């Protein structure tokens, strides 16, 4: 069974920062492109950042310059450093492989940015 456990979310004021963590199971984690997705209430899930096994990153235009994705293959963890948070970033954040995601989603972690 695939296990994905997200953590690090919370309530923050606009302009603040958070660092999300995703702990993933599996011995092939280091070979997989991983991504952070988010889903705002009533909205479609979207991919906001991804990182390949070799460290190549991609970002959605909406977060470019503010978010940084990274990974620690030895620990099977992918991180999302979020700076300059905006109310529009409010969503439940999930990790999964990218761009073709697995149906085995974790519980996600809530990020709420107040005005």
């Amino acid at each position: 069974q695939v296990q994905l456990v997200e953590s690090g979310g919370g309530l923050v004021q606009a302009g603040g920062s958070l660092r999300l963590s995703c702990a993933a199971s599996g011995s092939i984690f280091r070979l997989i492109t991983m991504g952070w997705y988010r889903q705002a209430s009533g909205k479609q899930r979207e991919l906001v950042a991804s990182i390949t096994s070799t460290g190549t990153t991609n970002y959605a235009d909406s977060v470019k310059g503010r978010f940084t994705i990274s990974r620690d293959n030895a620990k099977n963890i992918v991180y999302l450093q979020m700076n300059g948070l905006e109310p529009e970033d409010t969503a439940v954040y999930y990790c999964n492989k990218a761009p073709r995601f697995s149906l085995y989603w974790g519980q996600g972690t809530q990020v709420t940015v107040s005005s």
Side-chain angles (χ1 to χ4, degrees):
Q1 280 284 348
V2 176
Q3 295 182 4
L4 298 166
V5 181
E6 301 92 346
S7 62
L11 175 64
V12 65
Q13 292 184 328
S17 298
L18 286 171
R19 188 183 71 168
L20 308 183
S21 298
C22 170
S25 66
S27 60
I28 62 171
F29 169 82
R30 61 186 177 86
L31 304 177
I32 299 172
T33 297
M34 294 293 295
W36 281 97
Y37 301 77
R38 69 185 182 188
Q39 187 167 28
S41 181
K43 304 296 183 181
Q44 189 175 17
R45 187 201 311 110
E46 63 175 337
L47 177 65
V48 299
S50 65
I51 182 168
T52 70
S53 61
T54 56
T56 300
T57 59
N58 282 288
Y59 300 93
D61 288 342
S62 59
V63 307
K64 198 171 298 180
R66 300 187 297 119
F67 291 10
T68 302
I69 188 171
S70 61
R71 67 193 298 164
D72 185 336
N73 288 335
K75 296 181 178 179
N76 280 17
I77 297 176
V78 60
Y79 302 97
L80 186 68
Q81 178 67 47
M82 305 185 295
N83 299 324
L85 284 163
E86 304 168 352
E88 293 74 20
D89 297 317
T90 295
V92 178
Y93 284 72
Y94 303 88
C95 63
N96 209 315
K97 60 182 182 177
R100 295 184 298 171
F101 53 83
S102 167
L103 295 180
Y104 296 100
W105 295 94
Q107 293 299 305
T109 185
Q110 175 72 51
V111 171
T112 303
V113 184
S114 62
S115 301

